[in-house]
Amino acid sequence: MAIIGAGPAGLAAATVLARLGFTQVVVIEREAQPGGIPRHCGHSPFGMREFRRVLRGPAYADRLAAAARAVGVRIMCDTTATALLPGPVLELSTPAGIAQLAARAVLLATGTRESSRIQRMIGGQKPGGILTLGALQGMVHLNGQRPFSRPVVLGTELVSFSALLTCRQAGIHPVAMVEPGCNVIARGPSWALPRLLGVPLMMQSRITEILGRDRVEAVQIVGPDGTRRIATDGVLLTGAFRSEAGLLAMAGIAMDPDTTGPVIDSFGRLDQPGYFAAGNLLRPVETAGACWAEGQRAAEAIAAYLSGALPDREQGAELQIVGDAIRYALPQIILPARPGWHDRVQLRLARAARGELRLTQMGRIIARRRINARPERRITLSLPAGVTAAPLVLTLDERG
């Protein structure tokens, strides 16, 4: 058994597989230490679901890795998967050189990353001091560095408020928090944090240009009151996540442009035999605890696959989204629901909306739920048993 990615999803899956009796479970991790993104997060809360206690990110990551090793999981750090081959077979770049690893099944749990400045279409020069939150947390918590002192923070997702906490721990004082939308994206009470820390929150505003030759000197912001320039020594890009799916695209695995991750069925299977996916590779972005739970379910699905207990993927129904309110939904191929696997549709909205979610098949409503939500809020819809191979249509009726 091979797992790519030693974050919460990958380590949870490895631990469960080893406990189920699989004696050769290998986790491949390109970083020098396992643990994934939580290893870079010096704040709490992590671990309440997994270990029934509140932990900081590094302690949580250490516990996940220790739990996997305790049941015989081998974690190969400083090792990068460079190709996914039929078999399944992995091509690896290791400290000892290039190698191949054949496995009975492979779980991809490579996670997610924040969008770059180029992907956000922010103009201007290219000075130093422009970082994503992941890069900042690595510099602060792993290297003890302080790359800037008065940055502008872009975004108001949950991780954006994590960025404020990281800044506070490092003695960094943001001069503004900028949100292009009309509403803060994260749930309350996060909204109160900028005020408590004395950081101005600029809504309906966007950074249009970054100024400075060698270092960031200022940003140009367009908002409801027009254009203004703010002096700053850094720009912190947060949120706007994209799946780390380069390996899958190179292998010709079917991708979903809306989630930026792979197309999966109800058991997390990809369209190449023996390959599965779990965690934030599937969609940006869920909490560490949610990814941990998903990794456990993926392990159960892999065990069922290896015993021949899963239905054929071709028996599944394609999930189709109609309308502009729903940003994405998964799994994209739905098989008859079973407890413990993907027995719910996960979705997020493209804009704030309210109404009734409806899942129909051949014109018949088979699941429904009323919602009132904003973008980046996790929404689920229970799947009924007995889904046939006919296409499923997901819509949001906003009338009334």
Side-chain angles (χ1 to χ4, degrees), residues 4-6 27-33 37 39 76-81 93 110-113 244:
I4 304 177
V27 179
I28 297 154
E29 173 55 52
R30 67 184 179 187
E31 299 291 335
Q33 296 179 13
I37 292 300
R39 190 170 63 88
M76 297 174 58
C77 292
D78 292 316
T79 300
T80 301
S93 175
T110 50
T112 187
R113 57 182 170 81
E244 284 277 15

Side-chain angles (χ1 to χ4, degrees), residues 103-155:
R104 297 176 65 191
V106 172
L107 174 66
L108 295 159
T110 50
T112 187
R113 57 182 170 81
E114 288 156 304
S115 294
S116 67
R117 168 188 175 175
I118 293 175
Q119 290 167 327
R120 298 171 194 252
M121 302 183 68
I122 299 175
Q125 297 167 305
K126 299 180 180 179
I130 306 172
L131 298 176
T132 63
L133 174 57
L136 174 68
Q137 289 177 326
M139 296 178 75
V140 169
H141 297 305
L142 301 183
N143 303 328
Q145 297 174 298
R146 192 174 72 166
F148 36 53
S149 60
R150 294 177 57 78
V152 169
V153 178
L154 176 60

